[in-house]
PDB file of all heavy atoms in Angstrom:
ATOM      1  N   GLU A 227     228.486 -29.452  74.677  1.00  0.00           N
ATOM      2  CA  GLU A 227     228.586 -30.852  74.220  1.00  0.00           C
ATOM      3  C   GLU A 227     230.107 -31.283  74.434  1.00  0.00           C
ATOM      4  O   GLU A 227     231.031 -30.441  74.463  1.00  0.00           O
ATOM      5  CB  GLU A 227     228.348 -31.077  72.725  1.00  0.00           C
ATOM      6  CG  GLU A 227     226.858 -30.767  72.336  1.00  0.00           C
ATOM      7  CD  GLU A 227     225.917 -31.835  72.866  1.00  0.00           C
ATOM      8  OE1 GLU A 227     226.314 -32.954  72.964  1.00  0.00           O
ATOM      9  OE2 GLU A 227     224.811 -31.482  73.278  1.00  0.00           O
ATOM     10  N   PRO A 228     230.344 -32.593  74.642  1.00  0.00           N
ATOM     11  CA  PRO A 228     231.745 -33.074  74.773  1.00  0.00           C
ATOM     12  C   PRO A 228     232.570 -32.653  73.541  1.00  0.00           C
ATOM     13  O   PRO A 228     232.136 -32.845  72.362  1.00  0.00           O
ATOM     14  CB  PRO A 228     231.562 -34.572  74.969  1.00  0.00           C
ATOM     15  CG  PRO A 228     230.217 -34.716  75.442  1.00  0.00           C
ATOM     16  CD  PRO A 228     229.400 -33.626  74.770  1.00  0.00           C
ATOM     17  N   VAL A 229     233.741 -32.267  73.670  1.00  0.00           N
ATOM     18  CA  VAL A 229     234.614 -32.002  72.658  1.00  0.00           C
ATOM     19  C   VAL A 229     235.218 -33.390  72.171  1.00  0.00           C
ATOM     20  O   VAL A 229     235.747 -34.178  72.962  1.00  0.00           O
ATOM     21  CB  VAL A 229     235.861 -31.183  73.196  1.00  0.00           C
ATOM     22  CG1 VAL A 229     236.932 -31.006  71.985  1.00  0.00           C
ATOM     23  CG2 VAL A 229     235.458 -29.764  73.639  1.00  0.00           C
ATOM     24  N   PRO A 230     235.191 -33.658  70.839  1.00  0.00           N
ATOM     25  CA  PRO A 230     235.579 -35.008  70.320  1.00  0.00           C
ATOM     26  C   PRO A 230     237.079 -35.174  70.594  1.00  0.00           C
ATOM     27  O   PRO A 230     237.809 -34.247  70.480  1.00  0.00           O
ATOM     28  CB  PRO A 230     235.232 -34.966  68.833  1.00  0.00           C
ATOM     29  CG  PRO A 230     235.101 -33.459  68.476  1.00  0.00           C
ATOM     30  CD  PRO A 230     234.576 -32.888  69.766  1.00  0.00           C
ATOM     31  N   THR A 231     237.431 -36.453  70.786  1.00  0.00           N
ATOM     32  CA  THR A 231     238.905 -36.752  71.080  1.00  0.00           C
ATOM     33  C   THR A 231     239.323 -37.792  70.073  1.00  0.00           C
ATOM     34  O   THR A 231     238.596 -38.283  69.341  1.00  0.00           O
ATOM     35  CB  THR A 231     238.900 -37.519  72.484  1.00  0.00           C
ATOM     36  OG1 THR A 231     238.144 -38.722  72.471  1.00  0.00           O
ATOM     37  CG2 THR A 231     238.314 -36.536  73.580  1.00  0.00           C
ATOM     38  N   ARG A 232     240.641 -37.981  70.161  1.00  0.00           N
ATOM     39  CA  ARG A 232     241.327 -39.037  69.326  1.00  0.00           C
ATOM     40  C   ARG A 232     240.671 -40.369  69.491  1.00  0.00           C
ATOM     41  O   ARG A 232     240.391 -41.081  68.486  1.00  0.00           O
ATOM     42  CB  ARG A 232     242.813 -39.105  69.716  1.00  0.00           C
ATOM     43  CG  ARG A 232     243.537 -40.173  68.984  1.00  0.00           C
ATOM     44  CD  ARG A 232     245.078 -40.123  69.222  1.00  0.00           C
ATOM     45  NE  ARG A 232     245.323 -40.510  70.680  1.00  0.00           N
ATOM     46  CZ  ARG A 232     246.480 -40.251  71.241  1.00  0.00           C
ATOM     47  NH1 ARG A 232     247.402 -39.627  70.618  1.00  0.00           N
ATOM     48  NH2 ARG A 232     246.671 -40.733  72.472  1.00  0.00           N
ATOM     49  N   SER A 233     240.391 -40.718  70.724  1.00  0.00           N
ATOM     50  CA  SER A 233     239.756 -41.962  70.943  1.00  0.00           C
ATOM     51  C   SER A 233     238.341 -42.113  70.240  1.00  0.00           C
ATOM     52  O   SER A 233     237.997 -43.089  69.743  1.00  0.00           O
ATOM     53  CB  SER A 233     239.512 -42.168  72.573  1.00  0.00           C
ATOM     54  OG  SER A 233     238.809 -43.389  72.799  1.00  0.00           O
ATOM     55  N   ASP A 234     237.609 -40.959  70.306  1.00  0.00           N
ATOM     56  CA  ASP A 234     236.227 -40.981  69.646  1.00  0.00           C
ATOM     57  C   ASP A 234     236.436 -41.281  68.179  1.00  0.00           C
ATOM     58  O   ASP A 234     235.717 -41.993  67.581  1.00  0.00           O
ATOM     59  CB  ASP A 234     235.559 -39.614  69.811  1.00  0.00           C
ATOM     60  CG  ASP A 234     235.236 -39.347  71.267  1.00  0.00           C
ATOM     61  OD1 ASP A 234     234.915 -40.359  71.967  1.00  0.00           O
ATOM     62  OD2 ASP A 234     235.062 -38.173  71.705  1.00  0.00           O
ATOM     63  N   TYR A 235     237.447 -40.522  67.537  1.00  0.00           N
ATOM     64  CA  TYR A 235     237.664 -40.767  66.099  1.00  0.00           C
ATOM     65  C   TYR A 235     238.095 -42.174  65.819  1.00  0.00           C
ATOM     66  O   TYR A 235     237.519 -42.808  64.858  1.00  0.00           O
ATOM     67  CB  TYR A 235     238.732 -39.764  65.613  1.00  0.00           C
ATOM     68  CG  TYR A 235     239.100 -40.051  64.215  1.00  0.00           C
ATOM     69  CD1 TYR A 235     238.276 -39.710  63.092  1.00  0.00           C
ATOM     70  CD2 TYR A 235     240.319 -40.754  63.885  1.00  0.00           C
ATOM     71  CE1 TYR A 235     238.689 -40.004  61.803  1.00  0.00           C
ATOM     72  CE2 TYR A 235     240.687 -41.067  62.582  1.00  0.00           C
ATOM     73  CZ  TYR A 235     239.791 -40.669  61.589  1.00  0.00           C
ATOM     74  OH  TYR A 235     240.200 -40.989  60.304  1.00  0.00           O
ATOM     75  N   ILE A 236     239.002 -42.677  66.556  1.00  0.00           N
ATOM     76  CA  ILE A 236     239.492 -44.081  66.232  1.00  0.00           C
ATOM     77  C   ILE A 236     238.355 -45.048  66.445  1.00  0.00           C
ATOM     78  O   ILE A 236     238.197 -45.944  65.552  1.00  0.00           O
ATOM     79  CB  ILE A 236     240.673 -44.396  67.069  1.00  0.00           C
ATOM     80  CG1 ILE A 236     241.901 -43.498  66.665  1.00  0.00           C
ATOM     81  CG2 ILE A 236     241.071 -45.865  67.022  1.00  0.00           C
ATOM     82  CD1 ILE A 236     243.108 -43.655  67.506  1.00  0.00           C
ATOM     83  N   LYS A 237     237.570 -44.917  67.441  1.00  0.00           N
ATOM     84  CA  LYS A 237     236.453 -45.855  67.589  1.00  0.00           C
ATOM     85  C   LYS A 237     235.479 -45.800  66.446  1.00  0.00           C
ATOM     86  O   LYS A 237     234.862 -46.804  66.070  1.00  0.00           O
ATOM     87  CB  LYS A 237     235.702 -45.621  68.945  1.00  0.00           C
ATOM     88  CG  LYS A 237     236.483 -46.054  70.132  1.00  0.00           C
ATOM     89  CD  LYS A 237     235.729 -46.005  71.396  1.00  0.00           C
ATOM     90  CE  LYS A 237     235.860 -44.534  71.923  1.00  0.00           C
ATOM     91  NZ  LYS A 237     235.293 -44.467  73.264  1.00  0.00           N
ATOM     92  N   SER A 238     235.245 -44.603  65.827  1.00  0.00           N
ATOM     93  CA  SER A 238     234.353 -44.471  64.625  1.00  0.00           C
ATOM     94  C   SER A 238     234.881 -45.143  63.412  1.00  0.00           C
ATOM     95  O   SER A 238     234.105 -45.764  62.674  1.00  0.00           O
ATOM     96  CB  SER A 238     234.165 -42.947  64.394  1.00  0.00           C
ATOM     97  OG  SER A 238     235.301 -42.343  63.744  1.00  0.00           O
ATOM     98  N   ILE A 239     236.212 -45.143  63.195  1.00  0.00           N
ATOM     99  CA  ILE A 239     236.801 -45.798  62.062  1.00  0.00           C
ATOM    100  C   ILE A 239     236.856 -47.369  62.265  1.00  0.00           C
ATOM    101  O   ILE A 239     236.707 -48.129  61.310  1.00  0.00           O
ATOM    102  CB  ILE A 239     238.117 -45.209  61.494  1.00  0.00           C
ATOM    103  CG1 ILE A 239     239.240 -45.394  62.488  1.00  0.00           C
ATOM    104  CG2 ILE A 239     237.964 -43.743  61.166  1.00  0.00           C
ATOM    105  CD1 ILE A 239     240.526 -44.981  62.048  1.00  0.00           C
ATOM    106  N   LEU A 240     237.050 -47.744  63.491  1.00  0.00           N
ATOM    107  CA  LEU A 240     237.046 -49.224  63.811  1.00  0.00           C
ATOM    108  C   LEU A 240     235.717 -49.791  63.549  1.00  0.00           C
ATOM    109  O   LEU A 240     235.634 -50.973  63.096  1.00  0.00           O
ATOM    110  CB  LEU A 240     237.576 -49.351  65.248  1.00  0.00           C
ATOM    111  CG  LEU A 240     238.928 -48.943  65.700  1.00  0.00           C
ATOM    112  CD1 LEU A 240     239.186 -49.371  67.187  1.00  0.00           C
ATOM    113  CD2 LEU A 240     239.889 -49.628  64.838  1.00  0.00           C
ATOM    114  N   ALA A 241     234.660 -49.036  63.818  1.00  0.00           N
ATOM    115  CA  ALA A 241     233.328 -49.547  63.601  1.00  0.00           C
ATOM    116  C   ALA A 241     233.026 -49.854  62.164  1.00  0.00           C
ATOM    117  O   ALA A 241     232.119 -50.664  61.808  1.00  0.00           O
ATOM    118  CB  ALA A 241     232.311 -48.545  64.100  1.00  0.00           C
ATOM    119  N   GLU A 242     233.746 -49.170  61.231  1.00  0.00           N
ATOM    120  CA  GLU A 242     233.448 -49.264  59.763  1.00  0.00           C
ATOM    121  C   GLU A 242     234.370 -50.331  59.139  1.00  0.00           C
ATOM    122  O   GLU A 242     234.083 -50.787  58.007  1.00  0.00           O
ATOM    123  CB  GLU A 242     233.707 -48.019  59.114  1.00  0.00           C
ATOM    124  CG  GLU A 242     232.811 -46.870  59.559  1.00  0.00           C
ATOM    125  CD  GLU A 242     231.327 -47.134  59.236  1.00  0.00           C
ATOM    126  OE1 GLU A 242     231.118 -47.735  58.155  1.00  0.00           O
ATOM    127  OE2 GLU A 242     230.458 -46.760  60.049  1.00  0.00           O
ATOM    128  N   ALA A 243     235.480 -50.727  59.714  1.00  0.00           N
ATOM    129  CA  ALA A 243     236.398 -51.648  59.177  1.00  0.00           C
ATOM    130  C   ALA A 243     235.860 -53.159  59.070  1.00  0.00           C
ATOM    131  O   ALA A 243     234.947 -53.502  59.761  1.00  0.00           O
ATOM    132  CB  ALA A 243     237.702 -51.712  60.038  1.00  0.00           C
ATOM    133  N   GLN A 244     236.393 -53.798  58.064  1.00  0.00           N
ATOM    134  CA  GLN A 244     236.126 -55.292  57.867  1.00  0.00           C
ATOM    135  C   GLN A 244     236.556 -56.052  59.120  1.00  0.00           C
ATOM    136  O   GLN A 244     235.952 -56.987  59.597  1.00  0.00           O
ATOM    137  CB  GLN A 244     236.750 -55.834  56.697  1.00  0.00           C
ATOM    138  CG  GLN A 244     236.941 -57.368  56.620  1.00  0.00           C
ATOM    139  CD  GLN A 244     235.528 -58.045  56.562  1.00  0.00           C
ATOM    140  OE1 GLN A 244     234.567 -57.429  56.065  1.00  0.00           O
ATOM    141  NE2 GLN A 244     235.448 -59.293  56.898  1.00  0.00           N
ATOM    142  N   GLY A 245     237.706 -55.657  59.708  1.00  0.00           N
ATOM    143  CA  GLY A 245     238.273 -56.375  60.736  1.00  0.00           C
ATOM    144  C   GLY A 245     239.268 -55.627  61.547  1.00  0.00           C
ATOM    145  O   GLY A 245     239.894 -54.544  60.909  1.00  0.00           O
ATOM    146  N   VAL A 246     239.573 -55.843  62.816  1.00  0.00           N
ATOM    147  CA  VAL A 246     240.545 -55.058  63.461  1.00  0.00           C
ATOM    148  C   VAL A 246     241.475 -56.024  64.170  1.00  0.00           C
ATOM    149  O   VAL A 246     241.101 -56.976  64.832  1.00  0.00           O
ATOM    150  CB  VAL A 246     239.863 -54.118  64.603  1.00  0.00           C
ATOM    151  CG1 VAL A 246     240.882 -53.304  65.368  1.00  0.00           C
ATOM    152  CG2 VAL A 246     238.699 -53.278  63.949  1.00  0.00           C
ATOM    153  N   PHE A 247     242.805 -55.698  64.182  1.00  0.00           N
ATOM    154  CA  PHE A 247     243.755 -56.447  64.859  1.00  0.00           C
ATOM    155  C   PHE A 247     244.520 -55.522  65.904  1.00  0.00           C
ATOM    156  O   PHE A 247     245.089 -54.596  65.466  1.00  0.00           O
ATOM    157  CB  PHE A 247     244.788 -57.019  63.788  1.00  0.00           C
ATOM    158  CG  PHE A 247     245.862 -57.924  64.496  1.00  0.00           C
ATOM    159  CD1 PHE A 247     245.594 -59.326  64.671  1.00  0.00           C
ATOM    160  CD2 PHE A 247     247.152 -57.370  64.808  1.00  0.00           C
ATOM    161  CE1 PHE A 247     246.622 -60.087  65.199  1.00  0.00           C
ATOM    162  CE2 PHE A 247     248.127 -58.108  65.376  1.00  0.00           C
ATOM    163  CZ  PHE A 247     247.916 -59.574  65.504  1.00  0.00           C
ATOM    164  N   TYR A 248     244.296 -55.735  67.141  1.00  0.00           N
ATOM    165  CA  TYR A 248     244.802 -54.955  68.222  1.00  0.00           C
ATOM    166  C   TYR A 248     246.142 -55.565  68.734  1.00  0.00           C
ATOM    167  O   TYR A 248     246.155 -56.863  69.023  1.00  0.00           O
ATOM    168  CB  TYR A 248     244.019 -54.793  69.386  1.00  0.00           C
ATOM    169  CG  TYR A 248     242.534 -54.250  69.178  1.00  0.00           C
ATOM    170  CD1 TYR A 248     241.481 -55.227  68.983  1.00  0.00           C
ATOM    171  CD2 TYR A 248     242.217 -52.956  69.155  1.00  0.00           C
ATOM    172  CE1 TYR A 248     240.127 -54.724  68.706  1.00  0.00           C
ATOM    173  CE2 TYR A 248     240.951 -52.477  69.003  1.00  0.00           C
ATOM    174  CZ  TYR A 248     239.938 -53.311  68.644  1.00  0.00           C
ATOM    175  OH  TYR A 248     238.697 -52.982  68.592  1.00  0.00           O
ATOM    176  N   SER A 249     247.166 -54.838  68.941  1.00  0.00           N
ATOM    177  CA  SER A 249     248.439 -55.403  69.473  1.00  0.00           C
ATOM    178  C   SER A 249     248.833 -54.561  70.598  1.00  0.00           C
ATOM    179  O   SER A 249     249.262 -53.392  70.441  1.00  0.00           O
ATOM    180  CB  SER A 249     249.544 -55.382  68.327  1.00  0.00           C
ATOM    181  OG  SER A 249     250.822 -55.739  68.912  1.00  0.00           O
ATOM    182  N   SER A 250     248.887 -55.136  71.783  1.00  0.00           N
ATOM    183  CA  SER A 250     249.351 -54.402  73.003  1.00  0.00           C
ATOM    184  C   SER A 250     249.532 -55.396  74.205  1.00  0.00           C
ATOM    185  O   SER A 250     248.596 -56.162  74.418  1.00  0.00           O
ATOM    186  CB  SER A 250     248.364 -53.285  73.352  1.00  0.00           C
ATOM    187  OG  SER A 250     248.751 -52.665  74.595  1.00  0.00           O
ATOM    188  N   ALA A 251     250.616 -55.293  74.827  1.00  0.00           N
ATOM    189  CA  ALA A 251     250.796 -56.098  76.053  1.00  0.00           C
ATOM    190  C   ALA A 251     250.073 -55.498  77.196  1.00  0.00           C
ATOM    191  O   ALA A 251     249.962 -56.205  78.263  1.00  0.00           O
ATOM    192  CB  ALA A 251     252.335 -56.173  76.384  1.00  0.00           C
ATOM    193  N   THR A 252     249.622 -54.226  77.140  1.00  0.00           N
ATOM    194  CA  THR A 252     248.847 -53.626  78.122  1.00  0.00           C
ATOM    195  C   THR A 252     247.591 -53.126  77.580  1.00  0.00           C
ATOM    196  O   THR A 252     247.315 -51.821  77.699  1.00  0.00           O
ATOM    197  CB  THR A 252     249.690 -52.507  78.858  1.00  0.00           C
ATOM    198  OG1 THR A 252     250.156 -51.498  77.860  1.00  0.00           O
ATOM    199  CG2 THR A 252     250.849 -52.997  79.520  1.00  0.00           C
ATOM    200  N   TYR A 253     246.818 -53.866  76.829  1.00  0.00           N
ATOM    201  CA  TYR A 253     245.658 -53.351  76.092  1.00  0.00           C
ATOM    202  C   TYR A 253     244.579 -52.837  76.901  1.00  0.00           C
ATOM    203  O   TYR A 253     243.831 -51.886  76.555  1.00  0.00           O
ATOM    204  CB  TYR A 253     245.116 -54.602  75.276  1.00  0.00           C
ATOM    205  CG  TYR A 253     244.143 -55.435  75.947  1.00  0.00           C
ATOM    206  CD1 TYR A 253     242.790 -55.356  75.904  1.00  0.00           C
ATOM    207  CD2 TYR A 253     244.655 -56.462  76.855  1.00  0.00           C
ATOM    208  CE1 TYR A 253     241.808 -56.210  76.592  1.00  0.00           C
ATOM    209  CE2 TYR A 253     243.735 -57.362  77.482  1.00  0.00           C
ATOM    210  CZ  TYR A 253     242.435 -57.223  77.367  1.00  0.00           C
ATOM    211  OH  TYR A 253     241.551 -57.939  78.074  1.00  0.00           O
TER     212      TYR A 253
END
Side-chain angles (χ1 to χ4, degrees):
E227 297 293 323
V229 176
T231 64
R232 174 174 70 192
S233 178
D234 294 330
Y235 171 77
I236 291 175
K237 284 184 280 190
S238 72
I239 62 172
L240 295 183
E242 299 296 326
Q244 161 65 23
V246 183
F247 185 85
Y248 305 95
S249 173
S250 172
T252 54
Y253 82 99

